[in-house]
Amino acid sequence: MGTALVTGATAGLGLEFVWQLATARHDVVIVARDGDRLEQVATQVRAAAGVRVEVLPADLSVPEDLDRVAARLAVIGDEPGDDRRPVGLLVNNAGFATAQRFVGGDLGVELSALDVMVRAVLVLSHAAAGQMTARGRGAILNVASVAALTAGGTYAAAKAYVRSFTEGLAVELKGTGVTATVLCPGFVHTEFHGRAGVDMSSVPEIGWLEAPAVVAEALADVRRGLVISTPSVRYKAASALLRLAPRAVVRAVGKYR
């Protein structure tokens, strides 16, 4: 049994990560903006799985909140009077779709997205990697997207950063006992698009994945030490095509959400 910290833990893939980790007997530290919703999730998970659930409300676009989460990740567990257990798995899952065009869009929204999906991933991975390498064990799982291989605006750009950053981190961590994995799913049935007000009715059902299957495959890939986790055969094939296609063709395909 170990402790996992999950950001964006109250909805979508984040909530599914919490449940699968808890039912596998991992204690969890759950992070999200909505403190009331975090407490509801914590109460349900404690009752159903019987594990320790630590609630950490934080808006990762706010530097002070981000620093608090980073400080929790840095805990090694040997401070007198501190019974908090060190985090053995970090799941950087928090993110959102901006649902706007960049030109003429709200710059504040873009900067918030950058803070949550890029800066927070960098800061929290740094805190976790330092603590984990000191103990000689641990894993970091950063959630990106197949969108990282597309020309899908600032969301795709953020996920491209996460993918490239995680690959580089995995190289640096080799031989330390700590691994880094980037999850690159396609469309997943969650609240993600609905909360952003993005109309996905044109996407055929075959293009959708189910959250439990995505999370199960991601956690299996973390256990195997894989660097890139792309759930489902069809999205593995789509990713291969996107990597091989000329960038002019990729740009012509249009926006991926």
Side-chain angles (χ1 to χ4, degrees), residues 138-183:
I140 297 169
L141 175 59
N142 294 328
V143 178
S145 170
V146 170
L149 301 172
T150 72
T154 54
Y155 177 81
K159 294 306 184 182
Y161 174 88
V162 173
R163 181 182 173 115
S164 181
F165 165 72
T166 308
E167 288 189 82
L169 180 60
V171 172
E172 187 172 340
L173 289 172
K174 190 173 182 180
T176 66
V178 182
T179 61
T181 300
V182 59
L183 172 61

Short mmCIF file of all heavy atoms in Angstrom, two decimals, residues 138-183:
data_model
loop_
_atom_site.label_atom_id
_atom_site.label_comp_id
_atom_site.label_asym_id
_atom_site.label_seq_id
_atom_site.Cartn_x
_atom_site.Cartn_y
_atom_site.Cartn_z
N GLY A 138 9.18 5.57 -6.73
CA GLY A 138 8.03 6.42 -6.98
C GLY A 138 7.72 6.50 -8.46
O GLY A 138 8.46 5.97 -9.31
N ALA A 139 6.61 7.16 -8.78
CA ALA A 139 6.18 7.28 -10.17
C ALA A 139 5.42 8.59 -10.36
O ALA A 139 4.68 9.03 -9.47
CB ALA A 139 5.31 6.10 -10.58
N ILE A 140 5.60 9.18 -11.52
CA ILE A 140 4.88 10.40 -11.91
C ILE A 140 4.11 10.10 -13.17
O ILE A 140 4.67 9.60 -14.16
CB ILE A 140 5.87 11.56 -12.15
CG1 ILE A 140 6.61 11.90 -10.86
CG2 ILE A 140 5.15 12.79 -12.71
CD1 ILE A 140 7.80 12.84 -11.05
N LEU A 141 2.81 10.37 -13.14
CA LEU A 141 1.93 10.16 -14.30
C LEU A 141 1.32 11.50 -14.69
O LEU A 141 0.54 12.08 -13.93
CB LEU A 141 0.83 9.15 -13.95
CG LEU A 141 -0.25 8.92 -15.03
CD1 LEU A 141 0.36 8.42 -16.33
CD2 LEU A 141 -1.31 7.94 -14.52
N ASN A 142 1.69 12.00 -15.85
CA ASN A 142 1.18 13.27 -16.35
C ASN A 142 0.17 13.02 -17.46
O ASN A 142 0.45 12.27 -18.40
CB ASN A 142 2.32 14.14 -16.88
CG ASN A 142 3.27 14.58 -15.79
OD1 ASN A 142 2.86 14.77 -14.65
ND2 ASN A 142 4.54 14.74 -16.11
N VAL A 143 -1.00 13.62 -17.33
CA VAL A 143 -2.07 13.40 -18.30
C VAL A 143 -1.96 14.42 -19.42
O VAL A 143 -2.10 15.63 -19.21
CB VAL A 143 -3.45 13.48 -17.63
CG1 VAL A 143 -4.55 13.30 -18.68
CG2 VAL A 143 -3.58 12.42 -16.54
N ALA A 144 -1.69 13.93 -20.63
CA ALA A 144 -1.67 14.77 -21.83
C ALA A 144 -2.86 14.37 -22.69
O ALA A 144 -3.97 14.22 -22.18
CB ALA A 144 -0.34 14.62 -22.57
N SER A 145 -2.64 14.17 -23.97
CA SER A 145 -3.74 13.85 -24.88
C SER A 145 -3.16 13.53 -26.25
O SER A 145 -2.06 13.98 -26.59
CB SER A 145 -4.69 15.05 -24.99
OG SER A 145 -5.64 14.86 -26.02
N VAL A 146 -3.91 12.78 -27.04
CA VAL A 146 -3.57 12.62 -28.45
C VAL A 146 -3.51 13.99 -29.12
O VAL A 146 -2.79 14.20 -30.10
CB VAL A 146 -4.59 11.70 -29.15
CG1 VAL A 146 -4.40 11.71 -30.66
CG2 VAL A 146 -4.44 10.27 -28.63
N ALA A 147 -4.23 14.97 -28.55
CA ALA A 147 -4.20 16.33 -29.08
C ALA A 147 -2.80 16.89 -29.15
O ALA A 147 -2.52 17.82 -29.93
CB ALA A 147 -5.09 17.24 -28.23
N ALA A 148 -1.88 16.36 -28.35
CA ALA A 148 -0.50 16.83 -28.36
C ALA A 148 0.15 16.69 -29.73
O ALA A 148 1.12 17.39 -30.04
CB ALA A 148 0.32 16.07 -27.33
N LEU A 149 -0.37 15.80 -30.55
CA LEU A 149 0.20 15.55 -31.88
C LEU A 149 -0.52 16.33 -32.97
O LEU A 149 -0.18 16.20 -34.15
CB LEU A 149 0.14 14.05 -32.19
CG LEU A 149 0.87 13.14 -31.20
CD1 LEU A 149 0.58 11.67 -31.51
CD2 LEU A 149 2.37 13.40 -31.23
N THR A 150 -1.49 17.14 -32.59
CA THR A 150 -2.29 17.87 -33.56
C THR A 150 -1.93 19.36 -33.57
O THR A 150 -1.07 19.80 -32.81
CB THR A 150 -3.80 17.74 -33.26
OG1 THR A 150 -4.12 18.52 -32.09
CG2 THR A 150 -4.20 16.28 -33.02
N ALA A 151 -2.62 20.11 -34.41
CA ALA A 151 -2.48 21.56 -34.43
C ALA A 151 -3.77 22.16 -33.88
O ALA A 151 -4.44 22.95 -34.54
CB ALA A 151 -2.21 22.06 -35.85
N GLY A 152 -4.10 21.78 -32.65
CA GLY A 152 -5.39 22.12 -32.06
C GLY A 152 -5.36 23.32 -31.14
O GLY A 152 -6.03 23.31 -30.10
N GLY A 153 -4.60 24.34 -31.45
CA GLY A 153 -4.61 25.55 -30.66
C GLY A 153 -3.85 25.43 -29.36
O GLY A 153 -2.97 24.58 -29.18
N THR A 154 -4.18 26.29 -28.40
CA THR A 154 -3.40 26.36 -27.17
C THR A 154 -3.58 25.13 -26.28
O THR A 154 -2.67 24.77 -25.53
CB THR A 154 -3.74 27.63 -26.38
OG1 THR A 154 -5.16 27.68 -26.15
CG2 THR A 154 -3.32 28.88 -27.14
N TYR A 155 -4.73 24.47 -26.35
CA TYR A 155 -4.91 23.23 -25.58
C TYR A 155 -3.94 22.17 -26.07
O TYR A 155 -3.24 21.52 -25.29
CB TYR A 155 -6.35 22.73 -25.70
CG TYR A 155 -6.58 21.42 -24.98
CD1 TYR A 155 -6.79 21.40 -23.61
CD2 TYR A 155 -6.57 20.21 -25.67
CE1 TYR A 155 -7.00 20.21 -22.93
CE2 TYR A 155 -6.77 19.01 -25.02
CZ TYR A 155 -6.98 19.01 -23.64
OH TYR A 155 -7.16 17.83 -22.97
N ALA A 156 -3.87 21.99 -27.39
CA ALA A 156 -2.94 21.02 -27.96
C ALA A 156 -1.50 21.40 -27.64
O ALA A 156 -0.66 20.54 -27.38
CB ALA A 156 -3.15 20.93 -29.48
N ALA A 157 -1.20 22.70 -27.67
CA ALA A 157 0.15 23.16 -27.37
C ALA A 157 0.54 22.81 -25.93
O ALA A 157 1.66 22.38 -25.65
CB ALA A 157 0.26 24.66 -27.60
N ALA A 158 -0.40 23.00 -25.00
CA ALA A 158 -0.13 22.66 -23.60
C ALA A 158 0.13 21.16 -23.45
O ALA A 158 1.05 20.74 -22.74
CB ALA A 158 -1.31 23.08 -22.72
N LYS A 159 -0.67 20.36 -24.12
CA LYS A 159 -0.50 18.91 -24.02
C LYS A 159 0.77 18.44 -24.73
O LYS A 159 1.39 17.45 -24.32
CB LYS A 159 -1.73 18.20 -24.58
CG LYS A 159 -3.00 18.45 -23.77
CD LYS A 159 -2.81 18.11 -22.29
CE LYS A 159 -4.08 18.24 -21.48
NZ LYS A 159 -3.87 17.95 -20.04
N ALA A 160 1.18 19.15 -25.78
CA ALA A 160 2.44 18.83 -26.44
C ALA A 160 3.60 19.08 -25.48
O ALA A 160 4.58 18.32 -25.43
CB ALA A 160 2.60 19.66 -27.71
N TYR A 161 3.51 20.16 -24.71
CA TYR A 161 4.53 20.43 -23.69
C TYR A 161 4.58 19.28 -22.68
O TYR A 161 5.66 18.78 -22.33
CB TYR A 161 4.25 21.73 -22.96
CG TYR A 161 5.21 21.94 -21.81
CD1 TYR A 161 6.43 22.58 -22.01
CD2 TYR A 161 4.90 21.46 -20.54
CE1 TYR A 161 7.33 22.73 -20.96
CE2 TYR A 161 5.80 21.60 -19.49
CZ TYR A 161 7.00 22.24 -19.70
OH TYR A 161 7.89 22.37 -18.66
N VAL A 162 3.42 18.87 -22.19
CA VAL A 162 3.37 17.81 -21.18
C VAL A 162 3.98 16.52 -21.71
O VAL A 162 4.76 15.85 -21.02
CB VAL A 162 1.92 17.57 -20.71
CG1 VAL A 162 1.84 16.36 -19.79
CG2 VAL A 162 1.39 18.81 -19.99
N ARG A 163 3.68 16.20 -22.96
CA ARG A 163 4.23 14.97 -23.55
C ARG A 163 5.75 15.06 -23.66
O ARG A 163 6.47 14.15 -23.22
CB ARG A 163 3.60 14.74 -24.93
CG ARG A 163 4.09 13.47 -25.63
CD ARG A 163 3.48 13.33 -27.01
NE ARG A 163 4.08 12.21 -27.72
CZ ARG A 163 3.43 11.12 -28.09
NH1 ARG A 163 2.15 10.98 -27.81
NH2 ARG A 163 4.06 10.15 -28.75
N SER A 164 6.24 16.14 -24.23
CA SER A 164 7.68 16.29 -24.42
C SER A 164 8.42 16.38 -23.08
O SER A 164 9.47 15.76 -22.88
CB SER A 164 7.96 17.54 -25.26
OG SER A 164 9.34 17.71 -25.48
N PHE A 165 7.86 17.15 -22.15
CA PHE A 165 8.46 17.29 -20.83
C PHE A 165 8.57 15.94 -20.13
O PHE A 165 9.60 15.61 -19.53
CB PHE A 165 7.62 18.25 -19.99
CG PHE A 165 7.93 18.20 -18.52
CD1 PHE A 165 9.11 18.72 -18.03
CD2 PHE A 165 7.03 17.62 -17.63
CE1 PHE A 165 9.40 18.66 -16.66
CE2 PHE A 165 7.30 17.56 -16.28
CZ PHE A 165 8.50 18.08 -15.79
N THR A 166 7.51 15.14 -20.19
CA THR A 166 7.51 13.85 -19.50
C THR A 166 8.52 12.90 -20.11
O THR A 166 9.19 12.15 -19.39
CB THR A 166 6.11 13.23 -19.50
OG1 THR A 166 5.16 14.19 -19.01
CG2 THR A 166 6.06 11.99 -18.63
N GLU A 167 8.63 12.91 -21.42
CA GLU A 167 9.64 12.06 -22.06
C GLU A 167 11.05 12.45 -21.59
O GLU A 167 11.88 11.58 -21.28
CB GLU A 167 9.54 12.17 -23.57
CG GLU A 167 8.32 11.50 -24.16
CD GLU A 167 8.37 11.44 -25.68
OE1 GLU A 167 9.04 10.52 -26.20
OE2 GLU A 167 7.77 12.32 -26.34
N GLY A 168 11.32 13.75 -21.53
CA GLY A 168 12.62 14.19 -21.06
C GLY A 168 12.85 13.84 -19.60
O GLY A 168 13.96 13.44 -19.21
N LEU A 169 11.80 13.97 -18.79
CA LEU A 169 11.90 13.61 -17.38
C LEU A 169 12.20 12.13 -17.21
O LEU A 169 13.01 11.73 -16.36
CB LEU A 169 10.61 13.99 -16.66
CG LEU A 169 10.53 13.69 -15.16
CD1 LEU A 169 11.63 14.41 -14.40
CD2 LEU A 169 9.15 14.07 -14.62
N ALA A 170 11.56 11.30 -18.02
CA ALA A 170 11.78 9.86 -17.95
C ALA A 170 13.25 9.52 -18.23
O ALA A 170 13.83 8.63 -17.58
CB ALA A 170 10.87 9.14 -18.93
N VAL A 171 13.83 10.21 -19.18
CA VAL A 171 15.25 9.99 -19.50
C VAL A 171 16.11 10.36 -18.29
O VAL A 171 17.02 9.63 -17.89
CB VAL A 171 15.67 10.81 -20.73
CG1 VAL A 171 17.18 10.74 -20.94
CG2 VAL A 171 14.94 10.31 -21.97
N GLU A 172 15.83 11.52 -17.68
CA GLU A 172 16.62 11.98 -16.54
C GLU A 172 16.47 11.06 -15.34
O GLU A 172 17.41 10.90 -14.54
CB GLU A 172 16.22 13.40 -16.18
CG GLU A 172 17.10 14.04 -15.12
CD GLU A 172 16.82 15.51 -14.92
OE1 GLU A 172 16.23 16.15 -15.82
OE2 GLU A 172 17.19 16.03 -13.86
N LEU A 173 15.31 10.45 -15.17
CA LEU A 173 15.05 9.61 -14.00
C LEU A 173 15.56 8.19 -14.15
O LEU A 173 15.54 7.42 -13.18
CB LEU A 173 13.55 9.57 -13.72
CG LEU A 173 12.92 10.85 -13.19
CD1 LEU A 173 11.40 10.72 -13.16
CD2 LEU A 173 13.46 11.22 -11.82
N LYS A 174 16.02 7.82 -15.32
CA LYS A 174 16.45 6.44 -15.56
C LYS A 174 17.53 6.03 -14.55
O LYS A 174 18.50 6.74 -14.33
CB LYS A 174 17.00 6.29 -16.98
CG LYS A 174 17.25 4.85 -17.38
CD LYS A 174 17.63 4.74 -18.85
CE LYS A 174 17.83 3.29 -19.25
NZ LYS A 174 18.20 3.17 -20.69
N GLY A 175 17.30 4.90 -13.91
CA GLY A 175 18.25 4.38 -12.94
C GLY A 175 18.06 4.88 -11.53
O GLY A 175 18.80 4.48 -10.62
N THR A 176 17.06 5.74 -11.29
CA THR A 176 16.83 6.30 -9.95
C THR A 176 15.83 5.51 -9.14
O THR A 176 15.67 5.76 -7.94
CB THR A 176 16.33 7.75 -10.04
OG1 THR A 176 15.03 7.76 -10.65
CG2 THR A 176 17.28 8.62 -10.86
N GLY A 177 15.09 4.61 -9.79
CA GLY A 177 13.99 3.92 -9.12
C GLY A 177 12.67 4.65 -9.26
O GLY A 177 11.64 4.20 -8.75
N VAL A 178 12.69 5.79 -9.95
CA VAL A 178 11.48 6.61 -10.17
C VAL A 178 11.20 6.63 -11.66
O VAL A 178 12.12 6.72 -12.48
CB VAL A 178 11.68 8.06 -9.65
CG1 VAL A 178 10.41 8.88 -9.83
CG2 VAL A 178 12.11 8.03 -8.18
N THR A 179 9.92 6.56 -12.03
CA THR A 179 9.54 6.56 -13.44
C THR A 179 8.62 7.74 -13.75
O THR A 179 7.99 8.31 -12.86
CB THR A 179 8.80 5.26 -13.81
OG1 THR A 179 7.60 5.16 -13.03
CG2 THR A 179 9.68 4.04 -13.56
N ALA A 180 8.56 8.08 -15.03
CA ALA A 180 7.65 9.12 -15.51
C ALA A 180 6.90 8.57 -16.71
O ALA A 180 7.51 8.03 -17.64
CB ALA A 180 8.41 10.38 -15.88
N THR A 181 5.59 8.72 -16.69
CA THR A 181 4.71 8.23 -17.76
C THR A 181 3.78 9.36 -18.19
O THR A 181 3.28 10.10 -17.34
CB THR A 181 3.87 7.04 -17.27
OG1 THR A 181 4.74 5.98 -16.87
CG2 THR A 181 2.92 6.54 -18.36
N VAL A 182 3.54 9.48 -19.49
CA VAL A 182 2.58 10.45 -19.98
C VAL A 182 1.40 9.70 -20.60
O VAL A 182 1.58 8.82 -21.44
CB VAL A 182 3.21 11.44 -20.99
CG1 VAL A 182 3.80 10.74 -22.20
CG2 VAL A 182 2.20 12.50 -21.41
N LEU A 183 0.21 10.03 -20.14
CA LEU A 183 -1.02 9.42 -20.64
C LEU A 183 -1.57 10.26 -21.78
O LEU A 183 -1.80 11.46 -21.61
CB LEU A 183 -2.05 9.30 -19.51
CG LEU A 183 -3.46 8.86 -19.89
CD1 LEU A 183 -3.45 7.47 -20.52
CD2 LEU A 183 -4.37 8.90 -18.67
#
